[in-house]
Every structure is written in structure tokens, then in C-alpha cells.
């Protein structure tokens, strides 16, 4: 029997394929990662099917790579060593919405689009990263630690508990979902080791079959302010001071390129016009009024914003470049990107490649300098670099992201941009940028410089997946 | 072991070579002090450690661990002396590592974290942080608790409504593993890194440091870590008056305000907590029964029973939702939050406790929510007894917290909502005078739980901690085989089972149950 027919016995004939076209589709994504074809693509429809496929693969030492999103930007779903690609995008049931205890239970294929549509009816939201692709799995995003727009510590760590299929096919329930007894199963910590261990693993420690995520009440009222800056050096202090007072809900900084890409809905001309008119950097600060006396909360927060701004000589405005963007922008930020529009990251060119890392706010300008320097050496136009700074937890640290666009159909452009991308990433890392979720080329770079951590990870990996069947070749495994 | 035992002398000599005579003790009068097992009932029977040593940093500890591997002696590490039952000696040649000299503290005010060594207490962190406009999550465990240990083991906080479970506050960390390797996590993992962030790279080894509890030193010794700090508007020094047990503290009304809202039953109180979470007001939030409050209030045993018998607590505080609001944004925030709380009290049937009773409580006890420096806990004279076989508190949703309140009156009840009510902690214990009877009761309850099997254990997550704490017992009770994975990690890092053996996972018991030598008990492909 062939691999595909064996797998078909588990998932059904319609859900297993070795059609070259299907394999090719699953061999690549939007990243620079080298395409690699799997031997077989299988779509699971239940936890039991995942377990059966994993057991089968483990017995035969066949690699398994999981895909939950129908889109990928970082290469994590490319099967480095072939084998089976287990497509979970069809497992897309919202198993439970529980407003009372502020959680939702979902399968891995549930997209942000689908989830938020269900939550809108309850007046709630899932905490979103910056305008995720409509086909992005909400669960994958949470596992991959995509930074959320809300800078409050209580909103972080959105993944509560999950059911994870281990390499031998056993189902491990994490946190208080670990077994019988308690009914909600949402407290993140259960037995040793803690559930945090499984985040950022890119499917190398287990395959998550379902999860409970935090959800939040939507505010009843919002007021969006913009602070404009010509220089990135000037953004840290206002952020430190405003966030130290625990002001604001969605808080982020975008440069003109990214903000124009998000807002331009009238084609290339609109994008160019916006990019020219927008400030170099815009701090977006949403003051949100919760369920009770929303105006009064916004009012006292507003006073603090103006007090800080006065002290620093900057001017909050409810418009940016004369445009009244607040209501439109905040509505956009609380949804995934619309399904009927071109994705904002791909509006300028067909490809977008991001360097993402953590640093402290005061160090952001030095990294901007590094990116500018490398870009200049490679002849990449500085105005085409996307910059996004996401303060986390009242600004104790930030997620910093620089992006480069390229035309994926043009081999020269791909080659040039890839060279720039790799050098820029290495330069950022060397200067102390922290790649917490090291995708693709960053894995070797990071793990070759973290010897103690890497040795410990390998010990853990061996315990969880002694035959190294789960996404082999990723991270340091 | 006799002091003249050759192996004892060999180990002693080597330890002295590493640390110097001053920092190595085998005097029976000294090691006897490290035998006690307080506040941590278990089935283990502690003995005197054979040595007590005082390292000064990770390099000293690394050398001790290397010696342990060379001469095959067991070792454990304590912190500031709370819950020492989890590191008490269980085998001959045991070396107890007391990190008294490792008491350094650094604060990064700009990026809001403190770097602590094991002997730094929460009180120290709190005092230093407040000087720079910050504060730490405050444990309900006493000011003397090690900030490091409390963050990687247990660590429910009076501020958990905002600061969450303690493990969420872990940033970069440094450990010495049982194989002598140094493990640095988060941003510290790279050689140029600092302590500013805890995740990654790749899988998040904060999960390696702790689950609900942590590995109790059985997979390494944490020598340094960074914990998150949070904004604090002042005062930079707590305005205290008097000395314990009558120490008082009144925080300025433009910075911190306290509210006590009384409910006829705990269900209404839980609904109020839910609304408070939804409104996102308050910093220190909890639901308490009179018994719990009474444990923290008295100045003496006599006063405790006098107030109790007078019905003072029942009259004023049954059941009470207490909220501390903090003016992080401005004084207007306090006014706003007061208005919201008033509305919530009205809607949920709550009544603000009479001024006199409320003020008496605030003056003497409320500030312990900010920093447990008023020694209120040391005044708690009665001993809490488990009210159900599972023993420990329940961690899950707020709905579960309510469902798990046993149907008895006069319980010492504490429901702490975490992360704006995303989940909750519920502790419900009965009260008794300390003594042999109470200890015997606890042991009976634990034995009952073990006898009654998985469901009794599963009623409380923390039950796995109290009941011997070992994952090879609790995982099967919950229907999980994760102990097999843990055993594989333990075998790989500590093949001779020397790091706090018997704690977190009992490799000998696992081997016995598998009827095979311990080294063959690691799971390989069959866990």
C-alpha cells in the first residue's frame, strides 16, 4: 500500500491526495523558504483522525507538517523533509462561545474572519493582531504569538488551554482542561510542564486539535487620537509616558508606507497620494469607553493624553494629515482584513517579507538606523520599507516589524530583496533584536547563538517526539 | 550518616574547596534547623540534610551540581524559608543549598521589571519598586516570601485581577540544570540579551520552569530571573504607624481607595465580580467570607475569638467583595471607578459595609493587598483545613469557583479573579486551632483523596501539589500520560536522579511501578 492509500483509510479517500498539483500547492507559501513537496496531503476532520494519522506516521517514522491557515507568510507550514502535510483548515467549528467566562473554544481551522463574525453578535471580540489575513487561523496566530493590538497585560496570552496530539497519538489536555473534574477547563496552568512550553513550537512538540482562547467585551464608545512624528526617535517617550498611566486600548505606531497600504482602497494612485501626505510615523491611540459610563472614562484618559503631549510638545489630533480616519481605522482594526479586498501587505507588490523582533521602545530608533543602512547598501528605496511598532504590556517591550515588498514573479527582484532581507535580519539580530518566533532562516541564526537554550530544547523535543516526526527540520530540531 | 563516613568527608572537602569553610556546614546543630517541614503536609518523612551550603551565585551552584554528579549525592535548594517541606532531605548525603547570599536586586524602571536572585523577598522588590513609581504583583504569602520562588511556584496574588497568575510575570531567567549546563531563557538566551522578555526563542521555556507549580528544583536551580513590575502612582513609601501586630497603614485617598461591598450569599458576590471584570475597574479585587477576613484581622488569639464570638465579622462582612482602586491615570480615575462600583453594588444587591467597620478593616489590613508588609498573615492564628478530599484550591473559571464552594457555613473562603475575570482561584478551608489534631486532619483528608481516586483529586488543580505533589501520581489521576514525557526529560537532564529526588516526579516510584530499573523507565517511544 502507498502512503496516500494508507492515510486515505484513516481520513477518507476524498481527504488524502498525492496529486502533483495539490502537493505543489502545499509546497510553498509567501515566504522566501525553499519550496518542498510533501508525499501526501491529508485533511483531518476530527481529533481522532489527527491522532490516527500521527500514530500511523510515528510507527513508520514519517514526517508530519501541519497547516491550519490557508495562507502562510513565514514558511512554518512547508514540509522541510517531505512526508505528510496534515491540513486542518477544514476543522473550522466554533465549539463554544462563553461570554460569561470570556472564552471561546475553537478548532484550528477557524479563521479570525469567521470567529469575529460570531463574536460580534455577542458584543465581544477576539484580541487581534494587526489586520490578519482573512484566511489566517485564529488558533495558529495565538500559538505563534502574533502580537495583539491591545497593550494591556490582562489581555495577553490569549491561548488559555488546548488539546494537543502528541507524537505517539495521545491527546494531552493542557491546564485545567487536563482531564475530568473541572468543567470549564480554561485555567492555563495545570500539571508540570506548563502550557506555555507549547507556544512558538511551530508544530514540533504536538498538533493542537482544539483550544480555548480569551475573548473580550467590545467597548461601547471609542475616541481615536493620532500623534504624528517626523522622526522615529520621538515616539518612545510619549509612548512610555502615556502607557505608564495605563491609558488607551489599541495602541500602535505605523509609518506612512504601512498606514497608506492599510487605508488606500482606491488603487495605486490612492496609495501613492496617501503615502506622500501621511506623516512619517503615526501613533494611533484608541481611548475606549467600556460598558459603564464610557464618556467619563474617555474624558479622564483624554486629559492625561493632553497633559503628556503638552509636556513633550506634541499635539494629539483626531485627524491625521487632515483626514478624519479614527472611526474607520478602529473599525478596521477590530476585524480581520476583508475577504473581498486585496490584502494590505500585498497591495504594493505581490510579495511582502517581514523582519519581526522584540526590543525595548527606546531601542527602536537604533534598529531603524540599521534597517535603513542595509537597505541603502542594497539600493532599496527607504520610502518602500514598512515599519510597525506594537507596544506590549504598557510599553515594557515592543514588537518591532520592518517589511520589504517585492514582485514574486520577478526573479531578479526576488533575489535582490531576499539578499537584503537576510542581511537586514542578521544585522538586527546581531544588534540585539530578539527573534522569539524564529521562522525560516532566522532559526539557524538564533539557535546557533543560544547554546544552552538549544540544548535544553533538544532534550525536551526528544522527550515529546523521540522519532522527530513533527515538523522535522524546523527550529533546532 | 556519621560525620566520619569517608564519603561524607570526601564531599565535605570538595564543597569546602568550592565555597570555603565559612559557607559549608555539617554541624548537627545547624543542619537540624533545616529539617523542619512547615505549612506543607505531605507523605514524605524528612531527615536532617547532611550538609548546608551557602553559594554566592550561579558559578558556585554549577560547581556544587557538578560535584553532585561526580560523587552521586542528592541536593535541593530552598529560598527564603517558606514551604521548606518541598526541599527537605529524604536521603543520605543530602546537600541543602541555602541561597542566603544570593540576594541581589536590580530594577529597570523604564521597562518595568526587577531582576531578582533567590533570596530577594517580595517586600524588598515592593519597597524598591515603589521608589521608582512601580509595584510588583503581591502574593498572598507573606512579605518574606522569595520573589523568585513565588513566581515560579504557586503565586496567587492579591493583585491577580490585574497581574494574573504569577507565571505570567516571568521574564528572562537563568538556571543551572542538573547536568551543570546554564540555561538562560527569553531575551536572555542570547549572549547579548537582557532580561526584558520571557518568551522563546521557539518553544517557551517558561513552561519548563513551571506548570501550575513548578519543578521544585528537580530540573534545575533558578539563580536569577526578571519579574514584571506595574505602574504605581505613589506614595513611594507606605505611610505606616506602630508595629505589628497593631501596625496601621492608611494610603492617601487621592491614590488608593478601598471598598467593602457586602452580599447575602456568595453567588451574588460572584456576579458582582463578573460585572467588575466586565467594567475593568479596580486593581485588588476579591470575594471573602468572614472567616477568611477574621484570620487576617486580630492582634491576638484572644481578640480573634472575642470578635468571632461577638459576631462582628458576620454582621459586617458576610460575604464581602473587596476592591482596591489605584489612581494610575489620575485622581479622576478613582472617582470614575467609584461611580462604577456604586452602580454595580446597586444592581447586584450589594451593600457598602458600615464606615466604622470598613475603616477598621482598611486601617489594619487593607494595605496588605498592596504589599504584605503589615504582618497580618502572621497574626492568623487558626489553621486552615481542607474541606474536601482534593485538599487544595480550585483554579478555573469564575463559574467553577462558585460551583466549588462546599456547602458548609463558616468556611474561610477566598475567590480571587485573575486577568479581569478570565479565570479565578477559589480557596475554601475550615478553621481550626493549630496543633497535632489539625495536622492529623490534613493527613486524613489527603489519604481519603488518594483512596477515593482520580475524581477527588481532580476537583482541585492544586490538589496535585498538596498530595505529595508528584506528577507520576497526579497525571494518571487526571487521565494524562504527561508524566512519561516528564520522566524522559528528568532522565536526560538528571540521569542519577540527584536534583531534589522524589519531588515533582518520583523516578524511583516510577521505576518500581514499571518493575524495571530507573534508567530503563524512560519512555523512549512508548509514553
Amino acid at each position: 500500500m502507498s502512503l496516500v492509500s494508507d492515510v486515505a483509510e484513516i481520513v477518507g479517500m476524498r481527504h488524502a491526495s498525492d496529486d502533483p498539483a495539490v502537493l505543489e500547492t502545499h509546497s510553498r507559501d509567501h515566504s522566501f523558504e525553499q519550496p518542498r513537496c510533501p508525499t501526501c496531503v491529508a485533511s483531518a476532520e476530527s481529533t481522532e483522525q489527527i491522532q490516527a494519522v500521527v500514530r500511523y506516521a510515528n510507527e513508520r517514522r514519517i514526517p508530519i507538517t501541519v497547516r491550519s491557515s490557508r495562507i502562510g507568510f513565514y514558511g512554518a507550514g512547508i514540509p522541510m523533509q517531505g512526508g505528510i502535510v496534515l491540513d486542518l483548515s477544514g476543522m473550522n467549528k466554533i465549539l463554544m462561545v462563553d461570554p460569561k467566562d470570556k472564552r471561546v473554544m475553537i478548532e484550528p481551522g477557524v479563521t479570525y474572519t469567521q470567529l469575529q463574525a460570531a463574536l460580534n453578535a455577542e458584543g465581544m471580540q477576539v484580541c487581534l493582531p494587526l489586520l490578519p489575513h482573512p484566511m489566517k487561523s485564529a488558533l495558529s496566530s495565538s500559538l505563534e504569538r502574533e502580537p495583539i493590538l491591545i497593550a494591556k497585560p490582562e489581555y495577553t496570552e490569549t491561548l488559555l488551554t488546548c488539546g494537543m496530539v502528541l507524537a505517539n497519538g495521545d491527546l494531552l489536555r493542557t491546564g485545567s482542561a487536563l482531564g475530568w473534574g473541572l468543567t470549564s477547563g480554561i485555567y492555563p496552568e495545570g500539571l508540570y510542564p506548563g502550557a506555555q512550553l507549547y507556544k512558538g513550537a511551530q508544530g514540533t512538540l504536538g498538533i493542537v486539535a482544539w483550544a480555548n482562547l480569551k475573548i473580550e467585551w467590545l467597548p461601547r464608545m471609542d475616541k481615536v487620537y493620532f500623534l504624528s512624528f517626523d522622526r522615529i526617535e520621538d515616539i518612545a517617550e510619549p509612548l512610555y509616558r502615556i502607557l505608564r498611566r495605563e491609558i488607551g486600548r489599541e495602541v500602535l505606531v505605523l509609518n506612512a508606507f504601512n498606514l497608506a497600504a492599510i487605508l488606500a482602497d482606491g488603487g495605486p494612485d490612492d496609495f501613492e497620494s496617501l503615502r506622500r501626505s501621511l506623516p512619517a510615523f503615526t501613533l494611533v491611540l484608541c481611548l475606549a469607553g467600556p460598558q459603564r459610563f464610557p464618556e467619563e472614562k474617555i474624558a479622564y484618559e483624554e486629559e492625561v493624553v493632553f497633559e503628556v503631549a503638552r509636556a513633550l510638545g506634541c499635539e494629539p489630533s483626531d485627524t491625521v494629515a487632515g483626514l478624519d480616519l479614527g472611526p474607520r481605522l478602529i473599525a478596521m482594526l477590530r476585524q480581520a482584513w476583508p475577504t473581498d479586498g486585496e490584502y494590505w501587505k500585498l497591495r504594493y507588490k505581490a510579495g511582502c517579507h517581514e523582519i519581526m523582533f522584540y526590543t525595548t521602545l527606546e531601542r527602536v530608533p537604533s534598529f531603524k538606523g540599521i534597517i535603513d543602512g542595509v537597505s541603502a547598501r542594497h539600493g532599496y528605496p527607504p520610502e518602500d520599507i514598512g515599519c510597525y511598532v506594537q507596544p506590549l504590556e504598557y510599553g515594557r517591550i515592543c514588537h518591532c516589524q520592518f517589511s520589504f515588498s517585492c514582485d514574486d514573479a520577478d526573479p531578479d527582484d526576488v533575489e535582490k530583496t531576499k539578499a537584503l532581507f537576510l542581511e537586514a535580519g542578521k544585522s538586527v539580530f546581531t544588534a540585539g533584536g530578539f527573534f522569539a518566533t524564529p521562522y525560516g532562516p532566522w532559526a539557524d541564526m538564533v539557535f546557533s547563538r543560544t547554546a544552552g537554550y538549544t540544548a535544553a530544547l533538544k532534550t525536551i523535543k526528544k522527550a515529546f517526539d523521540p522519532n522527530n516526526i513533527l515538523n522535522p527540520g524546523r527550529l533546532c530540531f | 550518616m556519621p560525620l566520619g563516613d569517608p564519603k561524607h568527608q570526601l564531599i565535605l572537602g570538595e564543597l569546602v574547596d568550592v565555597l570555603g569553610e565559612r559557607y559549608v556546614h555539617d554541624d548537627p546543630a545547624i543542619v537540624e534547623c533545616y529539617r523542619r517541614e512547615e505549612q506543607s503536609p505531605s507523605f514524605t518523612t524528612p531527615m536532617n540534610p547532611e550538609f548546608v551550603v551557602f553559594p554566592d551565585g550561579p558559578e558556585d551552584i554549577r560547581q556544587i551540581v557538578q560535584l553532585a554528579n561526580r560523587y552521586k549525592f542528592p541536593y535541593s535548594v530552598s529560598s527564603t524559608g517558606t514551604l521548606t517541606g518541598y526541599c527537605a532531605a529524604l536521603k543520605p548525603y543530602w546537600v541543602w543549598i541555602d541561597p542566603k547570599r544570593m540576594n541581589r536586586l536590580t530594577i529597570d524602571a523604564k521597562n518595568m521589571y526587577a531582576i531578582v536572585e533567590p533570596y530577594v523577598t517580595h517586600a524588598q522588590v515592593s519597597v524598591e519598586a515603589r521608589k521608582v513609581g512601580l509595584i510588583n504583583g503581591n502574593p498572598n504569602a507573606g512579605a518574606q516570601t522569595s520573589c523568585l520562588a513565588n513566581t515560579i511556584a504557586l503565586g496567587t496574588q492579591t493583585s491577580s485581577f490585574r497581574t494574573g497568575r504569577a507565571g505570567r510575570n516571568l521574564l528572562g531567567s537563568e538556571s543551572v540544570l542538573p547536568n551543570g549546563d546554564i540555561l538562560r531563557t527569553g531575551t536572555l538566551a542570547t549572549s547579548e540579551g537582557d532580561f526584558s522578555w520571557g518568551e522563546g526563542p521557539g518553544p517557551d521555556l517558561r513552561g519548563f520552569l513551571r506548570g501550575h507549580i513548578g519543578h521544585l528544583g528537580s530540573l534545575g536551580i533558578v539563580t536569577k530571573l526578571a519579574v514584571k513590575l506595574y505602574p504605581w502612582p505613589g506614595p513611594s513609601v507606605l505611610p505606616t504607624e506602630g508595629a505589628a501586630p497593631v501596625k496601621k497603614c492608611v494610603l492617601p485617598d487621592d491614590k488608593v481607595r478601598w471598598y467593602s461591598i457586602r452580599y447575602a450569599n456568595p453567588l451574588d458576590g460572584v456576579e458582582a465580580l463578573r460585572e467588575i471584570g466586565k467594567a475593568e475597574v479596580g486593581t485588588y479585587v476579591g470575594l471573602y467570607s468572614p472567616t477568611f477576613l477574621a484570620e487576617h484581622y486580630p492582634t491576638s488569639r484572644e481578640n480573634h475569638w472575642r470578635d468571632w464570638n461577638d459576631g462582628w465579622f458576620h454582621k459586617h462582612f458576610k460575604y464581602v467583595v473587596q476592591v482596591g482602586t489605584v489612581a494610575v491615570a489620575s485622581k479622576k480615575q478613582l472617582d470614575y471607578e467609584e461611580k462604577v462600583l456604586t452602580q454595580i453594588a446597586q444592581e447586584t444587591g450589594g451593600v457598602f459595609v458600615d464606615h466604622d467597620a470598613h475603616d477598621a478593616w482598611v486601617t489594619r489590613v487593607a494595605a496588605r493587598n498592596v504589599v504584605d508588609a503589615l504582618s497580618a498573615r502572621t497574626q492568623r492564628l487558626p489553621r486552615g483545613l481542607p474541606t474536601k478530599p482534593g485538599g487544595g484550591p480550585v483554579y478555573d473559571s469564575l463559574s467553577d469557583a462558585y460551583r466549588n464552594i462546599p456547602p458548609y457555613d463558616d468556611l474561610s473562603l477566598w475567590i480571587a479573579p485573575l486577568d479581569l475575570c478570565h479565570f479565578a482561584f477559589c480557596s475554601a478551608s475550615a478553621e481550626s486551632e493549630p496543633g497535632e489534631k489539625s495536622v492529623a486532619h490534613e493527613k486524613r483528608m489527603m489519604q481519603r483523596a488518594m483512596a477515593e481516586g482520580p475524581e477527588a483529586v481532580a476537583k482541585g488543580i492544586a490538589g496535585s501539589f498538596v498530595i505529595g505533589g508528584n506528577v507520576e501520581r497526579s497525571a494518571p489521576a487526571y487521565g494524562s500520560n504527561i508524566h512519561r514525557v516528564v520522566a524522559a526529560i528528568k532522565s536526560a537532564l538528571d540521569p542519577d536522579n540527584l536534583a531534589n529526588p522524589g519531588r515533582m516526579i518520583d523516578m524511583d516510584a516510577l521505576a518500581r511501578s514499571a518493575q524495571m530499573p530507573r534508567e530503563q523507565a524512560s519512555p523512549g517511544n512508548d509514553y
Side-chain angles (χ1 to χ4, degrees):
Chain A
M1 296 259 284
S2 67
L3 174 60
V4 70
S5 54
D6 283 351
V7 172
E9 288 210 347
I10 299 169
V11 298
M13 286 298 289
R14 286 190 306 115
H15 299 296
S17 174
D18 59 358
D19 180 327
V22 174
L23 301 184
E24 206 282 330
T25 305
H26 288 82
S27 72
R28 61 177 70 244
D29 65 5
H30 283 273
S31 70
F32 282 132
E33 282 282 90
Q34 177 71 34
R36 291 180 179 85
C37 274
T39 312
C40 161
V41 174
S43 303
E45 290 187 315
S46 67
T47 302
E48 291 73 22
Q49 284 189 354
I50 299 174
Q51 289 179 276
V53 172
V54 171
R55 266 190 214 108
Y56 168 85
N58 193 39
E59 283 164 9
R60 291 159 183 78
R61 314 292 197 261
I62 298 169
I64 292 191
T65 304
V66 173
R67 283 192 178 192
S68 299
S69 303
R70 292 183 198 271
I71 184 105
F73 288 94
Y74 311 119
I78 293 175
M80 297 274 279
Q81 297 180 10
I84 301 167
V85 163
L86 191 57
D87 187 340
L88 303 184
S89 58
M91 285 179 68
N92 59 359
K93 289 194 276 295
I94 298 172
L95 301 169
M96 183 192 298
V97 178
D98 177 7
K100 212 169 177 185
D101 286 316
K102 298 200 287 187
R103 58 91 175 247
V104 64
M105 189 177 186
I106 58 170
E107 290 186 330
V110 171
T111 62
Y112 275 126
T113 307
Q114 185 189 348
L115 183 54
Q116 192 51 50
L119 294 176
N120 282 338
E122 304 286 347
M124 302 196 80
Q125 74 162 126
V126 63
C127 289
L128 289 155
L130 177 62
L131 295 164
H133 192 281
M135 288 192 283
K136 178 74 184 180
S137 152
L139 198 159
S140 293
S141 173
S142 191
L143 275 169
E144 290 167 13
R145 313 181 180 119
E146 290 192 333
I148 60 171
L149 300 168
I150 301 172
K152 298 181 178 190
E154 306 91 335
Y155 285 50
T156 58
E157 302 203 355
T158 51
L159 180 67
L160 295 169
T161 55
C162 67
M164 192 171 78
V165 177
L166 300 178
N168 68 346
D170 280 359
L171 181 68
L172 172 68
R173 299 176 188 86
T174 66
S176 63
L178 54 83
W180 48 75
L182 300 172
T183 50
S184 297
I186 58 172
Y187 183 69
E189 306 284 16
L191 298 175
Y192 179 88
Q196 284 171 317
L197 179 62
Y198 315 118
K199 294 179 194 168
Q202 297 182 28
T204 59
L205 296 181
I207 298 172
V208 177
W210 52 263
N212 283 298
L213 303 185
K214 282 181 180 176
I215 53 174
E216 309 291 346
W217 292 101
L218 281 164
R220 274 181 56 197
M221 185 179 287
D222 299 296
K223 187 153 192 181
V224 181
Y225 278 103
F226 300 97
L227 282 87
S228 302
F229 301 94
D230 294 330
R231 302 177 333 130
I232 202 164
E233 286 78 1
D234 298 329
I235 66 167
E237 200 54 33
L239 277 171
Y240 273 128
R241 293 200 195 182
I242 289 169
L243 293 172
R244 186 62 64 94
R245 306 280 284 275
E246 300 185 357
I247 299 296
R249 195 169 187 270
E250 289 88 350
V251 183
L252 65 157
V253 176
L254 295 164
N255 74 346
F257 181 90
N258 274 345
L259 191 53
I262 289 166
L263 296 171
D265 49 10
D269 291 345
D270 190 24
F271 170 77
E272 287 301 339
S273 158
L274 269 170
R275 178 160 66 159
R276 278 196 301 275
S277 61
L278 290 169
F281 298 95
T282 302
L283 192 169
V284 182
L285 175 66
C286 176
L287 308 184
Q291 308 299 311
R292 296 171 188 271
F293 310 112
E295 303 92 340
E296 291 177 41
K297 179 164 175 81
I298 289 175
Y300 82 70
E301 291 201 345
E302 218 167 13
E303 280 188 16
V304 174
V305 172
F306 278 88
E307 176 198 317
V308 170
R310 266 196 308 276
L312 294 172
C314 44
E315 197 173 338
S317 170
D318 53 6
T319 64
V320 59
L323 302 169
D324 181 15
L325 297 175
R328 180 183 163 208
L329 187 60
I330 200 63
M332 290 175 77
L333 293 177
R334 291 186 185 148
Q335 305 285 339
W337 190 257
T339 48
D340 55 356
E342 192 171 24
Y343 190 44
W344 68 278
K345 292 182 184 179
L346 308 178
R347 268 184 166 167
Y348 186 60
K349 288 185 178 178
C352 176
H353 303 275
E354 295 163 336
I355 294 170
M356 303 171 291
F357 55 96
Y358 289 117
T359 186
T360 50
L361 282 168
E362 79 258 28
R363 297 197 61 202
V364 170
S366 69
F367 289 108
K368 172 75 168 53
I370 289 167
I371 293 289
D372 286 346
V374 176
S375 302
R377 279 201 298 283
H378 285 258
Y380 189 89
E383 66 275 15
D384 286 0
I385 302 170
C387 176
Y388 161 45
V389 178
Q390 180 59 60
L392 304 171
E393 299 205 6
Y394 303 142
R396 72 170 79 251
I397 199 159
C398 68
H399 165 95
C400 192
Q401 184 171 309
F402 294 98
S403 54
F404 304 99
S405 299
C406 83
D407 183 353
D408 282 351
D410 177 352
D412 285 346
D413 198 21
V414 168
E415 191 181 334
K416 280 197 311 197
T417 312
K418 187 176 179 183
L420 158 65
F421 175 74
L422 293 174
E423 187 184 335
K426 282 176 189 160
S427 302
V428 164
F429 178 68
T430 305
F434 181 63
F435 290 64
T437 308
Y439 292 112
W442 314 137
D444 284 347
M445 176 182 80
V446 170
F447 292 113
S448 65
R449 295 274 290 279
T450 54
Y453 195 91
T454 304
L457 279 186
K458 286 183 173 178
T459 300
I460 287 165
K461 169 72 171 173
K462 196 169 181 190
F464 275 90
D465 179 16
N467 298 322
N468 195 19
I469 61 154
L470 297 173
N471 210 357
R474 288 285 159 215
L475 301 173
C476 53
F477 308 133
Chain B
M1 285 297 111
L3 297 181
D5 176 274
K7 182 170 176 178
H8 178 106
Q9 291 303 324
L10 178 67
I11 295 169
L12 177 66
E14 294 279 9
L15 289 170
V16 167
D17 280 352
V18 170
L19 300 171
E21 272 186 33
R22 187 178 173 192
Y23 298 116
V24 180
H25 296 285
D26 66 346
D27 184 331
I30 292 175
V31 297
E32 172 72 23
C33 301
Y34 289 80
R35 179 180 190 146
R36 65 185 175 171
E37 174 149 338
E38 47 107 2
Q39 294 187 21
S40 47
S42 80
F43 292 117
T44 59
T45 305
M47 56 199 288
N48 284 356
E50 210 147 313
F51 308 92
V52 177
V53 297
F54 301 89
D56 190 36
E59 184 51 31
D60 283 353
I61 290 180
R62 197 173 64 82
Q63 291 197 48
I64 294 165
V65 168
Q66 286 173 340
L67 286 180
N69 283 309
R70 188 179 310 150
Y71 299 115
K72 312 296 179 207
F73 60 79
Y75 60 90
S76 61
V77 63
S78 57
S79 54
T80 53
T82 307
L83 298 176
T84 49
Y86 298 105
C87 51
L90 300 173
K91 292 182 172 184
Y93 304 110
W94 193 286
V95 173
W96 179 306
I97 300 170
D98 184 337
K100 268 193 174 68
R101 298 162 70 200
M102 296 172 65
N103 59 358
R104 286 157 283 242
L105 164 64
T106 311
I107 288 179
D108 182 333
K110 191 94 179 167
N111 300 302
M112 300 196 291
Y113 62 87
I115 304 166
V116 295
E117 292 189 332
Y119 212 73
V120 174
T121 66
H122 269 296
Q124 284 173 275
V125 176
S126 182
V127 165
E128 296 304 321
R130 271 184 277 116
K131 290 176 186 172
V132 292
L134 297 167
I135 198 161
N136 52 334
N138 176 42
N140 192 46
Q144 79 291 346
T145 311
S146 160
C147 178
L148 182 151
N150 190 243
T151 306
I152 56 173
L154 291 171
T156 302
Q157 303 176 336
T158 57
S159 53
S160 284
F161 185 65
R162 294 288 183 179
T163 58
R165 63 196 195 283
R168 175 160 79 64
N169 294 288
L170 264 168
L171 294 170
S173 72
E174 175 190 81
S175 308
V176 177
L177 298 179
N179 60 9
D181 285 353
I182 304 275
L183 171 64
R184 296 187 176 92
T185 66
T187 40
L188 200 61
T190 59
S191 50
E192 305 83 6
D194 57 21
F195 283 83
S196 59
W197 199 238
E199 294 173 333
D204 188 346
L205 286 193
R206 286 183 299 182
F208 175 77
L209 285 177
R210 62 168 296 154
H212 170 57
I213 296 155
H215 58 56
L216 304 174
S218 66
L219 286 174
I221 295 172
V222 183
T223 51
K224 200 184 282 185
L225 60 77
V227 294
K228 295 176 185 176
L229 300 175
Y230 294 86
W232 172 251
S236 57
V237 176
L238 286 188
T240 55
E241 181 189 316
V246 288
K247 197 171 187 176
K248 294 178 178 176
C249 175
V250 179
L251 292 160
D253 195 43
D254 63 339
K255 301 290 187 193
V256 179
R257 291 183 195 165
W258 301 102
Y259 303 90
S260 301
I261 309 169
R262 189 171 63 246
Y263 286 89
N265 61 71
L267 176 58
D268 291 343
V270 167
E271 288 308 314
L273 291 181
R274 216 184 284 286
E275 287 302 316
I276 290 167
K278 195 170 173 180
E280 301 190 4
V281 294
T283 297
Y284 304 96
V285 180
L287 168 64
Y288 306 97
S289 70
T291 311
F292 184 92
L293 297 176
E295 290 167 350
H296 291 75
Y297 186 79
T299 54
S300 67
R301 171 175 290 171
E302 290 73 21
N303 285 353
H304 169 82
W305 290 115
R306 184 199 63 205
D307 291 340
W308 186 255
N309 292 329
D310 284 353
W312 188 80
F313 281 100
H314 283 75
K315 181 180 169 195
H316 295 290
F317 294 101
K318 186 178 183 179
Y319 290 81
V320 67
V321 168
Q322 292 200 324
V323 182
T325 60
V326 181
V328 178
S330 67
K331 181 175 171 295
K332 287 186 178 173
Q333 178 186 358
L334 297 181
D335 299 337
Y336 166 78
E337 296 196 358
E338 184 166 299
K339 191 170 176 179
V340 171
L341 286 170
T342 304
Q343 190 185 59
I344 289 172
Q346 285 166 352
E347 288 177 6
T348 53
V351 176
F352 284 96
V353 171
D354 296 348
H355 279 299
D356 288 350
H358 173 72
D359 288 349
W361 168 261
V362 167
T363 307
R364 201 187 297 170
V365 186
R368 61 166 287 279
N369 285 283
V370 176
V371 53
D372 204 338
L374 298 183
S375 303
R377 242 178 111 80
T378 62
Q379 300 160 24
R380 188 169 72 166
L381 303 170
R383 186 178 176 95
L385 299 182
T387 53
K388 56 190 177 189
V394 167
Y395 290 84
D396 210 340
S397 68
L398 202 50
S399 304
D400 276 303
Y402 176 75
R403 279 195 288 270
N404 279 280
I405 300 171
Y408 313 134
D409 211 3
D410 287 350
L411 287 174
S412 177
L413 174 69
W414 175 28
I415 295 180
L418 283 73
D419 275 358
L420 303 173
C421 297
H422 273 294
F423 23 85
F425 158 91
C426 174
S427 162
S429 54
E431 189 182 61
S432 134
E433 287 284 358
E436 287 180 13
K437 281 186 182 173
S438 59
V439 172
H441 168 83
E442 284 171 355
K443 291 207 168 181
R444 270 200 308 278
M445 295 299 270
M446 289 191 296
Q447 280 159 349
R448 237 181 85 193
M450 296 307 291
E452 288 188 9
E455 289 206 25
V457 178
K459 291 292 182 189
I461 293 290
S464 60
F465 180 51
V466 177
I467 304 169
N470 287 342
V471 72
E472 83 281 357
R473 283 179 173 176
S474 45
Y478 290 120
S480 169
N481 280 331
I482 190 66
H483 59 296
R484 301 278 186 183
V485 175
V486 176
I489 297 171
K490 174 78 171 170
S491 295
L493 293 177
D494 185 17
D496 294 309
N497 194 24
L498 300 170
N500 205 4
R503 281 7 181 294
M504 198 275 287
I505 186 162
D506 188 338
M507 297 296 283
D508 294 328
L510 204 57
R512 279 197 302 276
S513 68
Q515 295 184 320
M516 64 179 79
R518 191 183 60 240
E519 58 273 16
Q520 291 176 23
S522 58
N525 191 29
D526 184 30
Y527 54 81

